[in-house]
Every structure is written in structure tokens, then in C-alpha cells.
Amino acid sequence: MAEKVRGVVARGKAAPVSVETVVVPDPGPGEATVRVQACGVCHTDLHYRDGAINDDFPFLLGHEAAGVVDAVGDGVTEVAPGDYVVLNWRAVCGQCRACRRGRPQYCFATHNAVQSMTLEDGTRLSPALGIGAFLEKTLVAAGQCTKVDPAARPEVAGLLGCGVMAGLGRRSTPAGCSVTTPWR
């Protein structure tokens, strides 16, 4: 059964964000729901809010997160309820030419959840980088979940999903990221 949770939504270009009720559906085939324990504040979220990524408002912000898998849909074998995970903005297909050649970083067909999270009135939300983790629970493609050691603190582990992935190998320090645990 779908669950109502609180989440941070950007309704329009450069408009203030708001905390709103978000409806998260049960996971369908190939999907998972994750209870978010911590989510970093990345500059990319500001780009979404300012309309610099695209104009698919309203956006459900947040993508640099760690949490615990709550439920999985049919066919999901890589994670199970109770697994501690980092959320990734790229869930590789495993089937395209790049993946078959052992170069998943060049995947041609990354996955996101098929179902949409919505506002209470049914308005479809666009989750930032296919994740939308500034909320209590999110719906993602199961391939966006990477199991990590449960001893890792969520406010540190979440940084692996974006700050480390995007910043690794840069000559200069990546844009500063902050970490928040808004639901505690």
C-alpha cells in the first residue's frame, strides 16, 4: 500500500522549496523503497531548483543518500528488506555494449524507477537524478541501491552516492557538500 511521507519539493524555477506530503507507491518489478537515514546537500539540487537541469517541475530534491531497504518489487535479487544501502544516480543495465565490455561507466541505458512518486493531489514528481532522497522514504530502481557495511555512518556513506563518484579524479576539490539528517 502506498505510503505518505514528508519531502522537500521545488515547485518552480528559483522559487523557495517546501516540505510537502509525498505519496510513495509500493515497489513494482525491479524497484525498491528505501527509508532514508541521511542525505547530503549537493550543489546539483540547487541546479534542479533553479531550472538549470530541465523544466520538469515539480522536483523532489536530494540524491546523495544512505538508508535501509524497506521493500522490493518482483524480480529484485540484488537487495532485500533490511539491507543498508547507498543510493546511486546511475543504475547500469548490464546488457548494453558498454556493460558487456566491462565499462559500465559508459552504460547507454541506465535505469530509474518506472512508477512515479506524487503529491497528494496526484501531481507527478520528478526525482532529482532519479532518486529524490530529501524525504523519509523514496522509490528507486533496485539497481540504484548498493549494499554497504552497516557500521558506516549514514551521513558519511551517503556521500559515496554522488560526492565521491562525481568528485573522484578531479584536479580541484568538488563543490562543497553538506550532510543533513532532517528526519531525526
Side-chain angles (χ1 to χ4, degrees), residues 13-167:
K13 188 173 183 177
V17 299
S18 55
V19 176
E20 302 196 29
T21 299
V22 174
V23 179
V24 180
D26 287 338
E31 297 174 336
T33 52
V34 176
R35 293 232 173 251
V36 177
Q37 293 182 337
C39 185
V41 179
C42 178
H43 200 81
T44 301
D45 295 304
L46 179 62
H47 290 310
Y48 272 101
R49 197 248 6 222
D50 288 346
I53 304 289
N54 64 47
D55 293 327
D56 199 15
F57 289 96
F59 289 111
L60 181 55
L61 299 177
H63 61 277
E64 195 173 54
V68 175
V69 174
D70 187 58
V72 298
D74 289 341
V76 174
T77 58
E78 58 269 27
V79 293
D83 285 346
Y84 181 53
V85 297
V86 168
L87 298 179
N88 307 298
W89 46 270
R90 290 184 54 93
V92 298
C93 74
Q95 304 299 317
C96 72
R97 183 176 67 235
C99 287
R100 287 193 316 267
R101 290 182 177 173
R103 305 190 76 124
Q105 68 271 29
Y106 299 118
C107 179
F108 296 108
T110 60
H111 300 291
N112 290 334
V114 173
Q115 299 182 85
S116 295
M117 293 180 276
T118 64
L119 296 173
E120 285 186 292
D121 67 3
T123 301
R124 187 185 71 78
L125 294 166
S126 298
L129 293 174
I131 296 174
F134 284 164
L135 76 169
E136 297 164 303
K137 177 181 179 179
T138 192
L139 174 73
V140 295
Q144 290 177 277
C145 299
T146 300
K147 290 189 267 188
V148 293
D149 186 334
R153 294 188 347 245
E155 62 272 17
V156 175
L159 296 175
L160 296 171
C162 179
V164 172
M165 283 177 43

